[in-house]
Amino acid sequence: LSAQFIKYGANDFLSKSFLPEEFFCRVMQNMRTMDLIDQLNNAATTDYLTGLKNRHYFYEFGKQLIASAERGQITVTVAMLDLDHFKAVNDTYGHDGGDQVLKSVSACLSSMVRSTDMVVRIGGEEFALLLVNMRPDYLATYFEKLRGAIAGLEIIQRNQPIRITASIGVASAKIQPLAAMVEQADQMLYRA
């Protein structure tokens, strides 16, 4: 019977009669295993430096959002954001300075998205945003505020201010597969 339960997905099996201590030990061991699985899932979908979700999560979760949009339930806007001349920051202030900039920009982006939206670090100095049900007439204003907030960040490294700007490409036309929307946003980013 115990082998049958485990074969069908049980994590553990306890036969009567058992000691209370054995019961509690098995429960605690299973809880620790669940915690470790949660930690692994979080590590696989989270950027270690910024704490933002990562590229993998963006594509997995984004596909679900696009599927909802195709059913007409929501509208989705994809934006790609790149920090301008970031290599110069690393060259001048070292990787510690670059890391500080990335953390500051991440915090700024996180503070400016709604709970229904997503901001992820794609890699390097590139970020992506997925915005849900944002009014088309508000997009330009929103992204200009976002760009201005990044330009206004006060980041101090080696007692000197680091000034950073960002370019943003946005895709908000008719719903397409996520990869196509990212490609369109990337093209607009390149133009910016």
Side-chain angles (χ1 to χ4, degrees), residues 61-124:
F61 186 73
K63 287 177 189 174
Q64 295 172 14
L65 281 180
I66 296 296
S68 290
E70 287 173 343
R71 291 190 299 273
Q73 297 172 343
I74 61 171
T75 60
V76 176
T77 300
V78 175
M80 301 301 288
L81 183 145
D82 191 71
L83 300 181
D84 301 325
H85 312 293
F86 187 72
K87 185 180 180 316
V89 172
N90 278 336
D91 290 347
T92 306
Y93 300 98
H95 290 290
D96 287 344
D99 288 353
Q100 188 177 352
V101 168
L102 291 171
K103 289 176 186 177
S104 296
V105 169
S106 297
C108 177
L109 292 172
S110 295
S111 72
M112 294 190 69
V113 296
R114 303 165 299 176
S115 61
T116 56
D117 302 331
M118 178 182 13
V119 59
V120 301
R121 181 175 176 211
I122 293 293

Side-chain angles (χ1 to χ4, degrees), residues 154-171:
E154 293 187 21
I155 305 164
I156 305 297
Q157 182 71 15
R158 298 181 190 162
N159 296 322
Q160 296 178 1
I162 301 174
R163 297 288 175 215
I164 195 81
T165 59
S167 297
I168 306 170
V170 180

